[in-house]
């Protein structure tokens, strides 16, 4: 009886409220970033804000559908969902529509669907299924390879469609694997790789090579139990190869516009005129978005009042650069609000994940948090110029039906799984 | 630990974002305003610059419109350069050069592309301007001088320098700013405040409409008209008298401190520094190192005061009770103070009291008075400090505080000054005796002398000299209406003024009388040295004169300084008399004297040091 009367309280309302706030506030900003002229016709479906309103309406239906499906369904059918999703990615090579150089869309009627947005949820289900399998042990090298293949398939398919931004997101599964027992050595190696890359570009390959060699030798000789000399030499060789390899990769393999993104990010260029030039020519969006954000001040210029937003200075502002509209029109108050909402949402999901009784739910929840976190970090970091420009949407916020639906499915499957946890009491 | 890794990273990223946002949006807020926002086009509306009138209401400076072609490099689209160049009357090479310079200054801020078009060029260009994206015409107003006099007083306006633009946010590239004279001193009053319209652009640089319906737009505020204290007739007359001579005349109204005339010779026509020809003419004037027409000699020419300084030596001696008006000295053609050579005197010799001493300019009398002043206290340094402070109360030895931006302090030595000069020598009055006749270490400027003369005319006080008489809708600075009291008791001025009056009766200026006006004055001569080929060479003396009139109700006090003019009465004295008559009567009856002055050219004198040939002086 108790369960029946409190049926709707089983869902985690905190998460749902944050979700609603993000979607609602996001839409207001899309409206501001995309409306033209004096009048606003909310149901003008030729305009992004009108379309987004329709997407949101359809999202409600989607949520009802997800929540009414039995929890067990997601676990049982996860493999099939994953395979179908991968096939939809493969299908792009045959029937995909090219937009802005990326072949990531299916055109159905007047609408376009981007299967990569749904692939994240499918991959998360597959990873959860795999890791929760009693036979799987992530400490085992063979299983590590298998887990890696699960995320590599969508990542490679998406990369082949020229959508580098969405590919990067699959790196977020590292956190999931690590949580589930991936050996620490991987964490150490990843950090080392990042250090060597940045250092090699910033301070030069030779200096980096020397410094790391000295560090490794120091480690070798200070350890009471001496590591084998071969191991040490191998580590040194790896570091040297990496530091020179990265430099070579940067200088000879990356295309000039990619070089400039990294150069600007790591402040490799010293000539201020050249920097300004790079910002203007290559990173026009970033330059304008940073200016738009800083022009907002403490409380912003007001809703629909942003000069750069209404002047359409920031291209793609209603999609990947939507955060700059928040910055300009709502100021520091608005941007902090959004950042805090995201942090709360992520922490809430992590917290709920840790409470899960089933490993499947926990791994899935962890995947959701990791994926959302990557989007949040890369998108806002990019819009503020903290990291190189990688075009990915801000979850629930950016314009686009596929994106909104993809993230909604991702999140609400977890909400459904989580509601089941309460059921088990 | 494994559970917390992502937790911690999320929190760190969140905090980093908020920190970065705080930096961008709050801390760094200063960096953003409407002016920085290249989404908003700024259109300036320059107000009328205030007119300048003379003390009698005569218009001296008004305005004329001018049109600058401006460029915003970032917004420039490919254009028919040949046609554009021919409209602007420049060649392709110049076009590229100016464009590069503008781009270097700022790709997004406007720069002047071609300044001050002629009316015809403007008419031809205006029609076609639309075709050249990134270029526009900015209307400004240039000065239109209604007179050819007073260039040093009126000053000029020119484009603000990058330094000024950086230091005062009011100014933009191409804005005009006062550079000298009253244009500089009263820049803020004269310029007004320019108006601005903010126009919202889209990213294709098209105007969408007024930004926020124009709520931030401002209307220009007209500049204020000013009236300066110069009497343009007197100024003009002074400049005429000084033609073919170098030097300065400063005339002050004693009971107000208003500067009636500030003549610097040689001068130039202020119209030379207007418009497109400005910089070429400026360079020419600047490079004229013989005549130095840009140097205001009335304000900047430091020189030994010569004999007029005796009057102040006497006043200090009276105040310090070192002498009384009845003190007499018997002059036998020199003053023997125990030095290697007695100080000579050309007064004719005989018994001198104060009045006669001034009238005859007797060196012996003032050497005695000075020596007694210094010997008043056991320590010469102490005495010299007291003496110096008295002198400084007349405005010597420091900037006077007048409202023109240039000046020199001059020099009024005190005890410490000589302690430094003679570190291991017990100096005393006789060491520094030449100060008594204005030929020691004392240095003054013509305006300091004129001001001190006004203080004598006022019997003990002066108003800080100033060029401003009236500002439209605003009172003038209080310091110009506040008396500065000297340290000399008013009673001491009577015998001194009598002496100055007798200069014209039985003294050194007996032949310079102005009919119907009681003039008080004092002649002066200052030795003049220069360096030729590394050798110190003496040139013809400078001619100096101070005067005020009428004696009982002084209306004008002045100092005249004629470089290489020989003795004081010769040119400076004549010019003083003519100026006084001109100012007080409005016309000059001393026709013969006037003609003599007008005809006199000292250019030969000035050429001597440059001739490379031997020359004689003081003839
Ligand atoms: Zn004598």
């Amino acid at each position: 009886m108790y369960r029946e009367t409190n049926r709707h309280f089983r869902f985690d309302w905190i998460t749902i409220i944050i979700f609603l706030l993000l979607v609602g506030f996001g839409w207001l900003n899309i409206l501001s970033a995309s409306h033209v002229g004096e009048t606003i016709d909310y149901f003008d479906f030729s305009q992004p804000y009108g379309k987004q309103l329709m997407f949101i309406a359809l999202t409600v239906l989607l949520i009802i559908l997800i929540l009414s499906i039995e929890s067990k369904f997601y676990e049982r059918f996860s493999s099939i969902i994953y395979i179908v999703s991968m096939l939809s990615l493969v299908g792009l090579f045959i029937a995909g529509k090219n937009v802005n150089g990326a072949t990531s869309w299916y055109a159905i009627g007047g609408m376009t669907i981007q299967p990569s947005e749904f692939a994240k949820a499918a991959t998360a289900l597959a990873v959860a299924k795999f890791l929760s399998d009693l036979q799987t042990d992530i400490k085992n090298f063979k299983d590590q390879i298998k887990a890696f293949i699960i995320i590599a398939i969508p990542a490679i398919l998406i990369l082949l469609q020229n959508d580098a931004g969405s590919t990067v997101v699959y790196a977020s599964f590292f956190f999931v694997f690590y949580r589930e027992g991936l050996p620490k050595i991987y964490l150490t190696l990843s950090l080392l790789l990042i250090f060597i890359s940045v250092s090699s570009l910033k301070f030069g390959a030779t200096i980096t090579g020397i410094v790391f060699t000295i560090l490794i030798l120091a480690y070798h000789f200070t350890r009471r139990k001496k590591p084998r000399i071969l191991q040490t030499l191998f580590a040194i060789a790896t570091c040297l190869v990496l530091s020179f390899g990265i430099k070579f990769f940067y200088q000879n393999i990356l295309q000039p516009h990619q070089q400039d993104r990294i150069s600007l990010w790591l402040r490799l260029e010293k000539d201020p005129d050249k920097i300004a030039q790079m910002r203007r020519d290559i990173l026009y969006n970033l330059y304008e978005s940073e200016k738009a954000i800083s022009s907002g001040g403490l409380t912003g210029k007001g809703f629909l009042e942003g000069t750069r937003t209404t002047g359409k200075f920031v291209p793609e502002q209603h999609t990947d650069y939507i955060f700059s509209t928040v910055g300009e029109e709502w100021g520091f108050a608005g941007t902090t609000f959004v950042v805090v909402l995201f942090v709360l949402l992520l922490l809430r999901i992590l917290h709920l994940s840790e409470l899960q009784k089933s490993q499947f739910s926990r791994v899935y929840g962890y995947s959701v948090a990791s994926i959302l976190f990557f989007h949040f970090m890369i998108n806002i970091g990019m819009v503020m110029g903290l990291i190189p420009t990688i075009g990915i949407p801000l979850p629930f916020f950016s314009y686009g039906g596929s994106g909104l639906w993809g993230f909604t499915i991702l999140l609400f499957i977890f909400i459904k799984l989580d509601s089941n946890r309460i059921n088990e009491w | 630990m494994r559970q917390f890794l992502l937790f911690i990273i999320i929190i760190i990223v969140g905090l980093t974002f908020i920190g970065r946002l705080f930096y961008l949006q709050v801390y760094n807020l200063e960096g953003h305003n409407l002016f920085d926002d290249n989404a908003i086009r700024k259109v300036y509306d320059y107000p009328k610059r205030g007119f300048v009138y003379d003390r009698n209401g005569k218009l001296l400076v008004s305005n004329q419109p001018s049109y600058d072609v401006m460029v915003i490099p970032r917004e420039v689209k490919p254009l028919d350069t040949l046609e554009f160049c021919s409209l602007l009357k420049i060649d392709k090479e110049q076009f590229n050069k100016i464009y590069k310079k503008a781009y270097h200054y700022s790709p997004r801020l406007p720069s002047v592309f071609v300044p001050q078009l002629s009316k015809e060029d403007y008419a031809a260009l205006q029609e076609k301007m639309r075709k050249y994206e990134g270029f526009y015409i900015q209307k400004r107003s240039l000065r239109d001088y209604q007179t050819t006099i007073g260039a040093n007083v009126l000053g000029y306006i020119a484009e603000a320098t990058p330094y000024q633009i950086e230091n005062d946010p009011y100014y933009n590239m191409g804005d005009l700013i006062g550079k000298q004279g009253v244009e500089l001193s009263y820049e803020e009053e004269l310029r007004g405040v320019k108006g601005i319209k903010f126009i919202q652009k889209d990213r294709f640089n098209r105007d969408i409409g007024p930004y926020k319906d124009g709520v931030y737009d401002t209307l220009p505020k007209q500049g204020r008209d000013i009236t300066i204290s110069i009497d343009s007739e007197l100024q003009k007359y002074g400049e005429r008298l000084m033609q073919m001579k170098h030097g300065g005349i400063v005339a002050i109204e004693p009971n107000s401190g208003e500067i009636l005339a500030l003549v610097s010779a040689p001068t130039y026509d202020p119209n030379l520094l207007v418009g497109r020809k400005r910089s070429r003419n400026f360079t020419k004037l600047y490079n004229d190192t013989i005549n130095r027409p840009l140097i205001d000699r009335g304000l900047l020419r430091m020189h030994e005061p010569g004999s007029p300084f005796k009057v102040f030596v006497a006043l200090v001696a009276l105040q310090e009770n070192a002498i009384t008006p009845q003190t007499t000295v018997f002059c036998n053609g020199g003053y023997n103070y125990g030095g290697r050579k007695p100080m000579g005197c050309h007064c004719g010799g005989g018994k001198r009291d104060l009045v006669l001493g001034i009238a005859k300019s007797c060196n012996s009398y003032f050497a005695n008075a000075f020596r007694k002043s210094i010997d008043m206290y056991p320590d010469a340094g102490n005495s010299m400090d007291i003496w110096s402070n008295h002198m400084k109360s007349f405005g010597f030895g420091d900037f006077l505080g007048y409202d023109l931006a240039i000046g020199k302090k001059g020099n009024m030595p005190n005890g410490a000054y000589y302690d430094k000069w003679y570190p291991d020598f017990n100096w005393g009055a006789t060491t520094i005796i030449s100060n008594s006749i204005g030929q020691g270490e004392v240095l003054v400027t013509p305006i300091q002398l004129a001001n001190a003369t006004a203080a004598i005319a006022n019997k003990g006080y002066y108003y800080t000299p100033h060029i401003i008489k009236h500002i439209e809708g605003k009172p003038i600075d209080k310091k110009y209406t506040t008396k500065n009291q000297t340290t000399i008791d008013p009673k001491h001025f009577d015998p001194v003024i009598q002496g100055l009056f007798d200069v014209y009766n039985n003294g050194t200026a007996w032949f310079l009388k102005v009919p119907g006006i009681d003039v008080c004055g004092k002649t002066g001569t200052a030795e003049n040295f220069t360096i030729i080929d590394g050798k110190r060479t003496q040139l013809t003396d400078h001619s100096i004169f101070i005067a005020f009139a009428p004696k009982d109700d002084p209306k004008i006090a002045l100092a005249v300084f004629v470089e290489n003019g020989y003795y004081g009465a010769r040119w400076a004295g004549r010019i003083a008399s003519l100026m006084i008559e001109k100012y007080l009567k409005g016309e000059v009856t001393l026709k013969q004297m006037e003609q003599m002055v007008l005809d006199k050219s000292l250019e030969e004198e000035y050429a001597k040091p440059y001739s490379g040939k031997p020359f004689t002086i003081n003839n």
Side-chain angles (χ1 to χ4, degrees):
Chain A
M1 281 309 283
Y2 176 79
R3 267 185 238 156
E4 285 307 305
T5 46
N6 292 292
R7 172 181 273 272
H8 48 283
F9 290 117
R10 285 188 245 137
F11 305 120
D12 186 61
W13 285 99
I14 294 175
T15 308
I16 293 172
I17 286 167
I18 295 175
F19 164 81
L20 291 175
L21 283 173
L22 285 172
V23 171
F25 194 41
W27 182 76
L28 284 181
N29 285 290
I30 289 167
L31 171 63
S32 200
S34 64
H35 92 278
V36 186
E38 292 299 304
T39 52
I40 297 169
D41 177 2
Y42 296 108
F43 300 101
D44 179 354
F45 295 129
S46 69
Q47 294 301 326
Y49 59 86
K51 279 191 196 166
Q52 186 74 1
L53 204 58
M54 185 184 73
F55 297 149
I56 292 171
L58 289 172
T59 305
V60 176
L61 294 178
L62 199 59
I63 290 169
I64 293 168
L65 184 71
I66 293 167
L67 295 182
S68 48
I69 292 173
E70 187 61 34
S71 291
K72 289 284 165 218
F73 169 85
Y74 299 109
E75 190 171 352
R76 212 162 289 153
F77 288 88
S78 56
S79 308
I80 293 168
I81 293 171
Y82 177 73
I83 290 164
V84 168
S85 178
M86 292 310 110
L87 288 176
S88 77
L89 288 175
V90 173
L92 284 171
F93 294 106
I94 304 151
K97 185 174 170 248
N98 192 310
V99 181
N100 295 334
T103 330
S104 316
W105 281 268
Y106 285 116
I108 303 169
M111 274 175 47
T112 52
I113 296 275
Q114 192 179 2
S116 62
E117 292 298 343
F118 302 96
K120 291 167 213 165
T123 309
L125 284 173
V127 166
K129 173 79 175 173
F130 175 70
L131 291 183
S132 60
D133 192 318
L134 289 172
Q135 317 245 288
T136 307
D137 181 6
I138 196 71
K139 292 183 188 70
N140 186 323
F141 187 67
K142 234 171 155 186
D143 283 340
Q144 286 164 15
I145 295 290
K146 280 182 193 161
F148 178 74
I149 289 171
I150 294 175
I151 59 168
I153 291 171
I156 290 167
L157 287 173
I158 290 165
L159 187 63
L160 289 174
Q161 288 146 20
N162 233 341
D163 184 1
S166 297
T167 308
V168 172
V169 173
Y170 287 89
S172 65
F173 281 100
F174 169 81
F175 287 112
V176 183
F177 299 153
Y178 183 73
R179 164 66 184 85
E180 296 303 317
L182 190 71
K184 274 214 176 71
I185 184 71
Y186 288 94
L187 183 65
T188 319
L189 286 179
S190 324
L191 287 177
L192 215 60
L193 180 64
I194 294 169
F195 272 131
I196 291 177
S197 306
V198 171
S199 163
S200 159
L201 292 177
K202 181 91 185 168
F203 307 109
T206 317
I207 294 176
T208 307
I210 292 170
V211 169
F212 275 93
T213 304
I214 292 170
L215 284 177
I216 292 166
L217 286 177
Y219 177 82
H220 177 88
F221 288 113
T222 48
R223 289 287 285 213
R224 202 170 302 146
K225 184 171 155 255
K226 283 255 151 49
R228 262 181 290 171
I229 188 78
L230 264 179
Q231 269 181 350
T232 304
L233 288 178
F234 179 73
I236 290 173
T238 312
C239 281
L240 289 175
V241 166
L242 269 178
S243 50
F244 284 96
I246 289 285
K247 194 81 184 177
F248 180 82
F249 178 74
Y250 171 75
Q251 284 171 339
N252 301 308
I253 299 191
L254 281 185
Q255 285 165 10
H257 74 276
Q258 289 167 324
Q259 280 177 11
D260 284 341
R261 288 175 184 199
I262 291 169
S263 163
L264 205 61
W265 174 50
L266 289 176
R267 291 169 174 70
L268 299 180
E269 184 60 56
K270 292 282 178 279
D271 180 2
D273 285 346
K274 190 110 189 278
I275 292 172
Q277 184 68 31
M278 277 176 2
R279 282 174 168 249
R280 266 194 306 278
D281 298 349
I282 302 137
L283 300 178
Y284 178 80
N285 295 9
L286 172 63
Y287 176 65
E288 293 298 341
S289 87
E290 256 190 79
K291 290 206 80 164
I293 290 175
S294 58
S295 75
L298 188 60
T299 53
K301 296 178 184 168
F303 181 46
L304 298 178
E305 300 285 354
T307 51
R308 296 173 164 276
T309 301
T310 37
K312 305 283 171 285
F313 264 72
V314 190
E316 300 169 42
Q317 195 171 16
H318 58 285
T319 57
D320 292 351
Y321 286 85
I322 190 68
F323 194 68
S324 68
T325 303
V326 182
E328 184 179 20
E329 301 199 336
W330 304 87
F332 181 63
T335 51
T336 308
F337 176 66
V338 173
V339 170
V340 168
L341 278 185
F342 269 107
V343 169
L344 287 179
L345 178 68
L346 294 171
L347 296 183
R348 180 74 190 164
I349 295 169
L350 281 186
H351 173 70
L352 292 177
S353 302
E354 294 294 345
L355 294 179
Q356 299 306 314
K357 288 282 169 289
S358 93
Q359 197 191 0
F360 177 82
S361 301
R362 183 178 76 215
V363 174
Y364 183 78
Y366 231 85
S367 304
V368 174
S370 303
I371 291 167
L372 291 179
F373 169 65
F374 253 57
H375 274 270
F376 162 73
M377 176 179 73
I378 293 174
N379 180 283
I380 294 183
M382 163 192 77
V383 172
M384 286 195 294
L386 284 173
I387 58 170
T389 39
I390 300 170
I392 62 171
L394 187 59
F396 314 118
F397 229 81
S398 291
Y399 167 78
S402 302
L404 180 61
W405 295 330
F407 290 119
T408 304
I409 292 169
L410 185 71
L411 180 65
F412 276 83
I413 288 177
F414 178 67
I415 290 174
K416 179 66 190 178
L417 293 177
D418 174 63
S419 70
N420 209 47
R421 160 180 68 92
I422 302 163
N423 256 344
E424 283 167 2
W425 279 87
Chain B
M1 178 55 208
R2 285 177 182 273
Q3 279 105 309
F4 297 115
L5 180 71
L6 191 53
F7 255 99
I8 292 163
I9 292 179
I10 288 170
I11 289 169
I12 289 173
V13 167
L15 289 176
T16 309
F17 282 177
I18 291 172
R20 171 76 176 170
L21 287 165
F22 183 81
Y23 173 78
L24 281 178
Q25 299 188 288
V26 184
Y27 179 76
N28 203 19
L29 185 60
E30 295 290 303
H32 177 81
N33 56 38
L34 288 174
F35 293 91
D36 262 351
D37 196 333
N38 60 345
I40 299 170
R41 192 194 301 286
K42 276 72 67 176
V43 178
Y44 293 105
D45 190 352
Y46 289 87
K48 175 207 113 178
R49 192 168 173 95
F51 287 3
V52 180
Y53 297 92
D54 91 336
R55 66 187 292 113
N56 300 314
K58 186 171 177 278
L59 179 61
L60 298 178
V61 188
S62 60
N63 297 317
Q64 53 183 321
S66 140
Y67 303 91
D68 288 353
V69 177
M70 307 291 291
V71 63
I72 301 175
R74 207 182 78 174
E75 297 172 5
V76 173
K77 297 279 148 66
L79 71 156
D80 181 348
T81 330
L82 275 182
E83 187 197 41
F84 192 56
C85 285
S86 80
L87 282 169
L88 293 175
K89 302 203 167 122
I90 57 174
D91 58 39
K92 181 101 199 266
E93 205 172 300
Q94 281 172 296
F95 177 94
N96 288 334
K97 214 176 111 195
I98 307 169
Y99 181 82
K100 234 171 137 183
K101 202 178 147 200
Y103 195 95
H104 186 79
Y105 163 66
S106 167
R108 61 183 184 91
L109 293 177
S111 299
V112 177
F113 199 73
V114 173
Q116 296 153 5
L117 295 179
S118 69
K119 276 176 192 127
E120 302 76 56
D121 290 352
Y122 167 65
L125 189 60
Q126 196 192 14
E127 309 260 302
K128 300 190 172 146
M129 210 58 210
R130 232 167 262 281
K131 280 183 8 193
Y132 307 110
E133 266 189 75
F135 294 91
Y136 64 95
I137 296 179
Q138 177 70 61
K139 187 184 170 203
R140 299 177 205 277
S141 85
L142 289 186
R143 282 315 213 182
D144 191 5
Y145 294 94
Q146 309 293 315
T147 178
T148 57
I149 56 146
N152 56 323
V153 174
L154 300 173
Y156 62 93
I157 55 174
E159 282 180 26
T161 61
Y163 179 80
Q164 288 169 317
I165 294 168
E166 203 161 293
N167 285 281
D168 187 339
Y170 176 84
Y171 298 99
N172 300 100
M173 198 70 165
D175 279 5
L176 299 168
I177 186 171
K179 295 273 182 174
Q180 258 182 30
V182 291
E183 298 282 14
L184 170 57
S185 303
Y186 293 96
E187 162 69 13
E188 258 182 61
E189 286 79 4
L190 288 168
R191 81 172 184 214
V193 180
K194 63 190 167 204
I196 185 165
K197 287 193 184 82
F198 296 101
I199 294 167
Q200 174 73 58
K201 298 189 289 185
D202 67 9
R203 76 188 165 98
F204 301 108
N205 198 31
R206 293 175 301 216
D207 293 352
I208 304 177
Y211 171 64
K212 289 212 179 176
D213 298 324
V215 291
Y216 293 111
D217 295 359
T218 54
L219 288 172
K221 229 162 84 192
Q222 299 298 305
R224 299 171 192 270
D225 292 348
I226 64 170
T227 300
I228 57 173
S229 60
I230 294 291
D231 180 322
S232 60
E233 286 301 312
L234 185 66
Q235 175 81 19
K236 192 175 180 178
Y237 188 61
E239 290 186 9
R240 262 186 80 208
L241 293 176
M242 288 298 290
Q243 67 191 16
M244 300 181 286
K245 302 166 199 67
H246 293 182
I249 307 173
V250 183
I252 292 172
E253 185 177 66
N255 62 19
S256 67
E258 287 169 7
I259 298 169
L260 300 169
L262 181 61
V263 176
S264 174
T267 181
Y268 59 91
D269 183 344
N271 289 293
L272 289 177
L273 296 187
V274 177
R276 246 174 144 163
K277 59 190 191 297
R278 194 196 70 79
S279 78
R280 203 177 54 237
N281 286 333
F282 184 86
T283 314
K284 226 156 84 192
L285 293 170
Y286 185 83
N287 289 333
D288 184 353
T289 48
I290 297 179
N291 294 313
R292 295 183 183 279
L294 292 172
I295 304 293
D296 191 326
R297 289 172 162 79
L299 305 178
L300 296 176
R301 189 63 163 89
M302 280 207 296
H303 58 88
E304 291 179 350
S307 300
F309 194 63
K310 292 170 182 168
V311 181
F312 303 99
V313 170
L315 284 166
V316 175
L318 288 168
Q319 180 68 27
E320 287 294 315
N321 292 319
I323 61 166
T324 69
Q326 287 72 42
T327 304
T328 57
V329 165
F330 191 86
C331 176
N332 51 15
Y335 181 69
N336 202 328
Y337 56 88
R340 275 182 300 143
K341 203 174 88 187
M343 177 190 277
C345 181
H346 307 290
C347 73
K351 196 174 144 190
R352 307 284 180 226
D353 64 0
L354 177 60
V355 174
L356 201 56
I358 293 174
K360 298 283 184 191
S361 197
C362 177
N363 285 353
S364 308
Y365 190 88
F366 297 98
N368 178 60
F370 178 70
R371 187 175 177 174
K372 281 191 164 175
S373 313
I374 301 304
D375 290 344
M376 285 297 289
Y377 304 95
D379 175 37
N382 187 17
S383 299
M384 199 56 199
D385 287 346
I386 292 167
W387 183 86
S388 178
N389 285 337
H390 284 306
M391 288 300 177
K392 284 178 179 159
S393 76
F394 281 92
F396 291 124
D398 204 351
F399 298 117
L400 271 172
Y402 49 78
D403 49 351
L404 288 168
I406 48 173
K408 284 273 167 72
K409 279 179 147 182
N411 187 37
M412 191 52 63
N414 58 9
Y417 181 88
Y418 287 109
D419 286 343
K420 213 185 272 169
W421 261 48
Y422 304 107
D424 34 42
F425 172 66
N426 196 11
W427 61 273
T430 54
T431 326
I432 56 173
I433 198 77
S434 46
N435 284 320
S436 65
I437 57 166
Q439 296 197 347
E441 284 64 54
V442 173
L443 289 175
V444 300
T445 59
I447 195 169
Q448 285 178 336
L449 263 190
N451 176 61
T453 306
I456 296 174
N458 288 336
K459 298 186 180 176
Y461 66 87
Y462 69 90
Y463 290 99
T464 302
H466 51 281
I467 202 86
I468 196 73
K469 189 163 172 63
H470 177 74
I471 303 170
E472 187 190 7
K474 198 182 155 186
I476 66 169
D477 195 328
K478 257 208 196 117
K479 78 173 179 188
Y480 301 130
T481 52
T482 314
K483 273 186 195 177
N484 301 297
Q485 207 69 42
T486 66
T487 52
I488 310 297
D489 200 293
K491 70 178 181 207
H492 297 311
F493 286 90
D494 291 325
V496 167
I497 288 171
Q498 186 58 46
L500 291 171
F501 182 53
D502 283 350
V503 166
Y504 284 87
N505 293 320
N506 54 356
T508 51
W510 58 271
F511 56 98
L512 300 178
K513 280 200 196 93
V514 181
I517 300 172
D518 290 342
V519 184
C520 300
K522 181 77 199 74
T523 54
T525 306
E527 290 181 323
N528 179 10
F529 292 94
T530 190
I531 308 284
I532 301 177
D533 297 334
K535 268 207 332 253
R536 187 173 142 95
T537 312
Q538 183 159 22
L539 301 177
T540 299
D541 296 344
H542 297 309
S543 179
I544 304 168
F545 205 91
I546 61 167
F548 67 86
K551 177 177 173 252
D552 296 320
D553 179 20
K555 293 279 183 237
I556 179 170
L558 76 172
V560 182
F561 178 79
V562 181
E563 292 178 11
N564 307 24
Y566 201 12
Y567 57 90
R570 195 182 205 182
W571 300 119
R574 287 194 169 97
I575 290 169
S577 293
L578 292 166
M579 289 291 282
I580 287 169
E581 186 174 35
K582 174 75 178 173
Y583 182 66
L584 294 178
K585 291 189 185 163
E587 54 171 352
V588 176
T589 60
L590 298 163
K591 288 293 175 195
Q592 211 189 336
M593 190 191 285
E594 181 181 51
Q595 203 54 51
M596 205 179 151
V597 172
L598 288 176
D599 289 347
K600 180 63 186 179
S601 168
L602 290 171
E603 272 156 8
E604 226 174 283
E605 280 293 334
Y606 305 132
K608 278 179 185 173
Y610 300 95
S611 64
K613 292 179 198 132
F615 53 84
T616 55
I617 57 161
N618 290 345
N619 48 22

